[in-house]
Amino acid sequence: MRPALLALGFLILVQAHAADQAMDEVFAHHQQQWLTKPEFTSPLVDHLPASTRVPSPRDVLGDDIGAPRVLHYYADILKYYRVLADKSARVKIIPTGKTEEGRETVLILISSEDNIRNVDGNRQNLAKLADPRGISEPQAREIIAQTKPMYVVLGGLHSSETGPPEMLMELAYRLTVEDSPLINGIRGNVIVAINPATDPDGRDRYTDWYYRNKIDDTDDLTPVHNAPYWGKYIYHDNNRDINFSGMSARNLLGFYLEWHPPIMHDLHESHPFLYTFSGQAPQNSMLDPILYGEMPWFANFEVAQLAKYGMPGVWTHGFVDMWSPGYVAFMSSNHNGLVRMYETFGNGGATTMLRHVKPVPGASDDLHPNDETTREWFRPSPPYDIVQWSMRDNTNYMETALLSGLQQTSLFPQAVLENFYKKSRDAVTEGQTRPPYAFIIPGGQSDMTRAAIVVNLLRLQGVEIGHSTGSVKIKEGTYPPGSFVVKLDQPYGRLAKTLLSKQVFPDTKLKTYDDAAWTMGMMAHVEVVESADRTALDVPVEPVDHYEPQGSIDASSAHAYAVLDYGSINLATLRNRLRGVSIQIAEQPFESNNRKIPAGSFIVDGAAYQRLKAAVIPLGLTAIGLPDKPSIRTHEAATPRVAIYSTWGSTQNVGWVRYAFDQSEMPYQLIFKEQVRAGRLRAKYDVIIVPSQGRTAKDVVYDIPLYGQPLPYTKTARYRFSGDYGSSPDIRGGMGLAGLEEMRKFVSEGGTLITLGESSAVPAEFGLTPDIEVKRPPAAFYAPGPIVAGNVLKPASPIFYGYTDRAISVRWASTALLSVPLRDKQNVLMEFPGGEKSVLSGFMNGADEIKDRPAIVLSPVDSGQVLMFATNPIYRWQNFGEFRMLYNAIFNYKNLRISLDEPTGAAAPGGANKAHVD
């Protein structure tokens, strides 16, 4: 009886206090009008205080939150928060930077007036708890007693998940003005930090799309397709951006490392009616066990609270796991904080929709692949089979749950801070007492520019790194002065270990939501040594803030200069900066003045010395003088006219290639079905790249089905944020067979077609390369992005300039298993040896299925050629060691066949020198 009485008392307390404060009657009317079922609300959000001093969202924007068919652009969202901060001393705005398109990113701090007044001191206290090496246990207890936990809330990372940026404005107002025990407790004991739209560029672009194409979308059985773009590049993968390429995420990380919030909570939309993340298996065991107690502690409280309010469909556990560290909000758990996440049912806009929650036979697999209407131990009150769902329903669920999470924090602020401190302290202690104790990135590697990528990405995330002042002598070996030492007796030692260690999956019967492997050294092709020698902690080092290796060039009197090719990605940047300068590529290694010059090195005439010097030194490359023209085979380092083909329905992986090309200053044109169907491709382009996109070859060819109304993506006076990065009066339909025929003509007339990952199924399945077949692995095959071995069969191929090993690490990227006839085995440049021993990090169920399968195939077709990567040489901003293969293909496109007639090279142990034959 007592718990029931307490619950009733709490409800009465909230409602009674609401009666003491003037309430917004218009809001109350809208709440009832916009709800689709009376149980889709709670006593926490069924009212809104009226204030004569602080404006509500309706006062500024004209509508209450949750209004049907109303979304707000980012400028309007910021406008509201600025008015709120101007009118209340409980609100403070912290600028954090700019997006790729120039929008300002901010965090909105809300708390009591005293807490906001003392917020800088609170920030300093949190920094001491985050790095407890400078304080004692008694000092830590004193700091905890004087400090308020910061709870960061992110909304709108995925732009089609439109509810969180709307709800957060109402939450901000409620936290600022409501006078109730619950809200007063939150304001008094917590500093809430709101990220209004984590992808501001995408918010505007998607809002355009909603108003133009999706506002009348009322039934999820006949959905309107998503917008072709959100932000500039990477779409949904902005929540897989493990190395923080996106500016919004990078700005947020900068805020995190300055303010050290113990809790970060990312609001998403997908599953009915609300899923609260509790960190299910597989789990990253390198993180502190405290975290795995905190996550269900919060999630179970929210499930119980919303059940108490009579809100069905709230559950936990049975969705996202804790394996991959690459989600944006995991910056919190990666840095000893608590990561939180919701998935709330959303409609992709503000239109009330008929939602089929229970799977419908014959409907798209994307609708609901799993039945989430069943009662399970983690879903005690399942959602309904079918429901009308509104934006107000969405707001009520999300806001009620979030207020409950904030309530939990306000009730146990010291526990939250103690856990944060203890996890930070434990990380330091573990690095002192348990191996590994350090990672060494040896100095003197042939290409230190890729080592710099690893060092700087670790530093970006706050990992401490030292530059050794002398030789590093540990039991694993001796490494030269200038080696980088990542000692693990630091607060972020666990993060360093997570990123640098080989991933050993705990149970191959489990599945993971994202990649199984991300080992930085393997992906960048950088030597990283894990040390179990405790003396590594005593190696004298100087702290590294940022590492930029400086290049070198001999004096200006040489006949020519050889820019040595040791695999640096910056060699591609160099070629692009020296457009207009004739450059030859050495087809074989040679020596000059007793100095070894690898195959693939650039030979640049001495007349271009000044331009070469200006580029080589900042790019960290080495150019040596040649007394005369080398007597070896060379060919032109071409600067072809490059096009990147993109479907309209799957621009994400294309975006990663675009991003990498932009970083390397690689010119290209982005083309779509419209340009391909128009024909004359060979007159416009020398190389067409088709990045991995879609799930099948048909997806690449036919793209968005031709049903419903046209879907324009063009820039107009009304839709100012549309028509960027391509434009179309109707994005449906794909290039079709007509476009495919134009691609065939392009190749036949001498063009080079390069396909990546899943797109490599297209030439085989649609007859561009009729002798190559594609097989799909059996259903039991499961390979969520492991790192595997690839055996180079044609080491003299220009594709492998800069690569010295016959066995190299690559990320597994496709379910399209290529097969070539035995008579064409000379066209296979690299293959997968297959088998469990070939899986270098992560896991692959069915590794024997890929045994001797081609990884890279060059197929001559008439006057042209098709280069097919079963790998994905540019995967996210991550597999840097593979980037050069694609860049090599571009600069050497005229000479890719030079190794085809040579004998197949000896494979690495365990491999085989034959193409797969079915």
Side-chain angles (χ1 to χ4, degrees):
M1 289 293 293
R2 185 170 179 79
L5 289 173
L6 286 173
L8 179 61
F10 176 73
L11 294 177
I12 293 173
L13 180 64
V14 171
Q15 292 169 336
H17 201 98
D20 294 340
Q21 186 176 17
M23 292 293 136
D24 186 332
E25 295 182 2
V26 174
F27 173 89
H29 171 71
H30 286 158
Q31 169 85 226
Q32 294 302 314
Q33 183 181 14
W34 299 339
L35 276 179
T36 63
K37 287 187 177 293
E39 61 267 33
F40 290 170
T41 189
S42 76
L44 305 188
V45 298
D46 64 358
H47 62 280
L48 196 69
S51 173
T52 58
R53 185 172 53 87
V54 178
S56 71
R58 188 181 71 245
D59 295 330
V60 176
L61 303 176
D63 296 285
D64 282 314
I65 299 302
R69 303 165 69 90
V70 174
L71 289 182
H72 295 97
Y73 286 92
Y74 185 65
D76 293 325
I77 293 171
L78 283 191
K79 175 185 176 182
Y80 177 68
Y81 285 113
R82 295 193 194 285
V83 171
L84 194 65
D86 184 58
K87 296 297 183 180
S88 174
R90 296 171 174 174
V91 181
K92 181 180 179 69
I93 297 179
I94 305 296
T96 59
K98 300 279 188 178
T99 68
E100 285 81 359
E101 297 177 359
R103 293 173 178 84
E104 184 179 12
T105 56
V106 300
L107 271 292
I108 317 299
L109 308 187
I110 304 175
S111 193
S112 70
E113 294 183 18
D114 284 345
N115 290 341
I116 293 296
R117 188 180 306 112
N118 299 320
V119 72
D120 285 333
N122 200 86
R123 174 177 56 81
Q124 294 168 12
N125 283 351
L126 289 173
K128 293 174 183 176
L129 300 178
D131 184 359
R133 289 172 294 183
I135 59 175
S136 64
E137 291 283 348
Q139 289 173 324
R141 288 193 293 271
E142 183 178 351
I143 291 169
I144 288 169
Q146 299 170 353
T147 305
K148 309 300 180 184
M150 178 176 282
Y151 193 121
V152 175
V153 188
L154 316 179
L157 177 61
H158 289 158
S159 302
S160 64
E161 299 165 11
T162 55
E166 301 289 330
M167 180 278 294
L168 287 172
M169 288 189 282
E170 179 175 298
L171 175 72
Y173 174 74
R174 190 183 302 277
L175 290 175
T176 302
V177 305
E178 184 166 310
D179 184 17
S180 67
L182 185 146
I183 300 298
N184 288 336
I186 294 171
R187 273 199 305 265
N189 294 321
V190 185
I191 299 172
V192 181
I194 292 174
N195 187 217
T198 313
D199 182 0
D201 298 339
R203 175 66 184 191
D204 282 347
R205 190 160 291 112
Y206 186 85
T207 301
D208 261 5
W209 183 259
Y210 169 75
Y211 280 124
R212 191 176 196 178
N213 294 308
K214 203 170 171 63
I215 194 167
D216 295 321
D217 196 7
T218 59
D219 189 330
D220 63 5
L221 294 183
T222 56
V224 173
H225 200 277
N226 210 322
Y229 290 102
W230 295 342
K232 183 175 182 178
Y233 291 112
I234 56 176
Y235 212 73
H236 192 274
D237 260 3
N238 62 5
N239 199 28
R240 309 291 187 275
D241 192 7
I242 191 171
N243 290 323
F244 295 91
S245 69
M247 291 309 301
S248 295
R250 189 168 291 203
N251 296 342
L252 184 62
L253 175 64
F255 172 88
Y256 185 93
L257 293 175
E258 181 181 357
W259 290 81
H260 304 284
I263 301 177
M264 182 171 280
H265 193 155
D266 199 5
L267 304 178
H268 286 272
E269 291 182 349
S270 65
H271 292 262
F273 292 140
L274 186 139
Y275 162 83
T276 173
F277 182 36
S278 57
Q280 74 176 55
Q283 296 176 337
N284 177 3
S285 62
M286 296 181 187
L287 300 178
D288 198 299
I290 294 172
L291 171 69
Y292 295 119
E294 290 177 306
M295 297 178 75
W297 177 42
F298 269 80
N300 290 333
F301 180 74
E302 290 159 345
V303 171
Q305 289 296 96
L306 272 70
K308 179 176 71 178
Y309 302 140
M311 303 175 78
V314 181
W315 52 290
T316 186
H317 178 74
F319 180 37
V320 179
D321 58 79
M322 273 295 293
W323 180 247
S324 169
Y327 310 104
V328 166
F330 278 40
M331 70 176 71
S332 183
S333 50
N334 290 341
H335 294 87
N336 304 314
L338 168 59
V339 63
R340 311 220 52 235
M341 189 267 288
Y342 294 157
E343 296 280 357
T344 309
F345 214 29
N347 293 342
T351 303
T352 300
M353 291 185 71
L354 178 64
R355 302 301 305 272
H356 299 80
V357 182
K358 192 176 186 65
V360 176
S364 166
D365 290 340
D366 293 334
L367 183 60
H368 291 301
N370 302 311
D371 189 350
E372 294 174 342
T373 65
T374 61
R375 190 194 184 283
E376 308 288 346
W377 69 264
F378 52 82
R379 190 165 48 231
S381 176
Y384 305 147
D385 291 1
I386 188 169
V387 67
Q388 288 281 343
W389 188 258
S390 70
M391 177 65 94
R392 190 63 225 182
D393 299 334
N394 169 281
T395 297
N396 286 348
Y397 266 80
M398 202 182 324
E399 190 173 356
T400 298
L402 185 50
L403 284 168
S404 299
L406 291 170
Q407 177 189 13
Q408 174 92 329
T409 309
S410 72
L411 293 173
F412 299 97
Q414 290 206 347
V416 170
L417 293 172
E418 287 167 359
N419 288 351
F420 182 52
Y421 162 74
K422 187 65 166 58
K423 286 180 288 186
S424 302
R425 172 72 72 186
D426 287 351
V428 176
T429 302
E430 181 176 293
Q432 296 168 337
T433 57
R434 291 176 55 188
Y437 297 103
F439 289 90
I440 313 299
I441 303 173
Q445 297 188 43
S446 58
D447 174 33
M448 290 303 292
T449 65
R450 277 177 288 134
I453 292 174
V454 173
V455 168
N456 291 332
L457 288 175
L458 291 170
R459 288 295 302 125
L460 177 68
Q461 298 194 53
V463 174
E464 296 172 359
I465 300 177
H467 218 187
S468 66
T469 55
S471 296
V472 179
K473 297 179 180 180
I474 52 178
K475 68 181 181 182
E476 287 80 12
T478 299
Y479 306 98
S483 295
F484 296 96
V485 183
V486 184
K487 300 179 183 182
L488 300 184
D489 59 341
Q490 59 170 296
Y492 304 150
R494 284 173 167 154
L495 172 58
K497 189 161 53 173
T498 294
L499 296 176
L500 295 173
S501 295
K502 171 184 176 179
Q503 277 69 62
V504 180
F505 205 72
D507 185 348
T508 57
K509 295 188 292 294
L510 295 173
K511 293 190 174 183
T512 182
Y513 194 65
D514 196 57
D515 284 351
W518 50 84
T519 311
M520 290 182 78
M522 292 184 188
M523 298 198 89
H525 293 187
V526 171
E527 183 184 3
V528 178
V529 179
E530 181 176 306
S531 178
D533 188 341
R534 198 178 186 284
T535 64
L537 298 177
D538 301 321
V539 172
V541 296
E542 295 177 350
V544 174
D545 182 49
H546 191 79
Y547 173 53
E548 292 290 346
Q550 291 298 294
S552 64
I553 186 169
D554 286 352
S556 60
S557 57
H559 171 79
Y561 294 84
V563 183
L564 306 184
D565 185 3
Y566 293 119
S568 175
I569 301 169
N570 291 350
L571 204 68
T573 310
L574 176 69
R575 185 64 191 103
N576 294 321
R577 288 186 182 177
L578 297 184
R579 296 180 80 84
V581 174
S582 177
I583 298 176
Q584 294 292 304
I585 297 178
E587 294 184 5
Q588 59 197 81
F590 66 100
E591 290 190 13
S592 177
N593 292 332
N594 297 318
R595 301 172 79 175
K596 294 182 178 180
I597 300 168
S601 297
F602 285 1
I603 311 298
V604 185
D605 191 273
Y609 180 82
Q610 293 301 328
R611 286 187 64 185
L612 180 63
K613 179 180 179 180
V616 159
I617 291 177
L619 290 174
L621 301 172
T622 300
I624 64 173
L626 303 176
D628 48 39
K629 182 179 179 180
S631 58
I632 52 144
R633 292 196 310 259
T634 65
H635 61 257
E636 177 193 9
T639 54
R641 301 167 297 169
V642 176
I644 299 176
Y645 174 74
S646 178
T647 58
W648 282 110
S650 186
T651 64
Q652 176 167 277
N653 289 339
V654 179
W656 285 114
V657 176
R658 290 172 47 230
Y659 180 81
F661 277 24
D662 286 351
Q663 305 313 301
S664 295
E665 303 172 23
M666 175 78 73
Y668 63 90
Q669 286 192 21
L670 186 61
I671 62 173
F672 296 85
K673 61 185 176 70
E674 292 82 2
Q675 291 77 27
V676 172
R677 287 176 181 172
R680 298 187 68 250
L681 296 174
R682 186 65 188 93
K684 304 170 187 174
Y685 311 113
D686 302 304
V687 175
I688 296 177
I689 300 168
V690 184
S692 186
Q693 48 198 302
R695 298 176 182 175
T696 67
K698 281 187 174 181
D699 288 343
V700 179
V701 174
Y702 298 112
D703 198 15
I704 301 170
L706 275 167
Y707 72 79
Q709 298 297 315
L711 299 176
Y713 179 70
T714 56
K715 192 176 294 292
T716 69
R718 169 62 182 86
Y719 301 112
R720 297 181 294 120
F721 309 118
S722 301
D724 292 320
Y725 322 116
S727 178
S728 175
D730 185 3
I731 67 171
R732 302 172 305 154
M735 68 168 130
L737 295 179
L740 202 66
E741 172 61 15
E742 296 300 331
M743 287 284 198
R744 187 200 64 76
K745 290 180 183 177
F746 166 78
V747 174
S748 181
E749 294 168 3
T752 296
L753 179 66
I754 302 175
T755 58
L756 314 181
E758 292 290 354
S759 294
S760 288
V762 174
E765 293 189 354
F766 282 88
L768 273 67
T769 54
D771 290 336
I772 298 178
E773 295 184 2
V774 171
K775 299 293 181 68
R776 299 288 175 175
F781 181 83
Y782 181 57
I787 301 171
V788 301
N791 282 345
V792 176
L793 303 183
K794 298 286 186 177
S797 167
I799 297 295
F800 303 114
Y801 288 158
Y803 295 86
T804 56
D805 296 331
R806 297 288 180 88
I808 60 178
S809 56
V810 296
R811 182 189 178 274
W812 178 258
S814 174
T815 59
L817 304 180
L818 301 179
S819 180
V820 303
L822 191 59
R823 66 178 180 274
D824 291 334
K825 71 175 184 179
Q826 74 276 3
N827 296 340
V828 180
L829 309 181
M830 185 171 80
E831 71 180 9
F832 299 112
E836 290 186 8
K837 291 184 178 179
S838 75
V839 181
L840 306 178
S841 187
F843 81 107
M844 175 184 284
N845 281 341
D848 287 340
E849 295 291 336
I850 71 168
K851 182 175 175 57
D852 305 329
R853 289 286 183 180
I856 306 175
V857 180
L858 177 64
S859 181
V861 178
D862 297 330
S863 298
Q865 56 201 346
V866 180
L867 180 63
M868 305 166 68
F869 286 86
T871 60
N872 185 357
I874 294 181
Y875 172 74
R876 298 178 177 167
W877 186 238
Q878 205 165 345
N879 60 336
F880 306 106
E882 298 180 60
F883 282 19
R884 271 292 302 278
M885 295 185 208
L886 182 56
Y887 291 143
N888 286 345
I890 294 170
F891 298 132
N892 298 278
Y893 82 101
K894 294 180 180 179
N895 302 91
L896 292 179
R897 302 189 194 184
I898 61 176
S899 68
L900 294 189
D901 295 331
E902 298 180 0
T904 298
N913 294 330
K914 63 183 181 66
H916 194 278
V917 181
D918 289 307

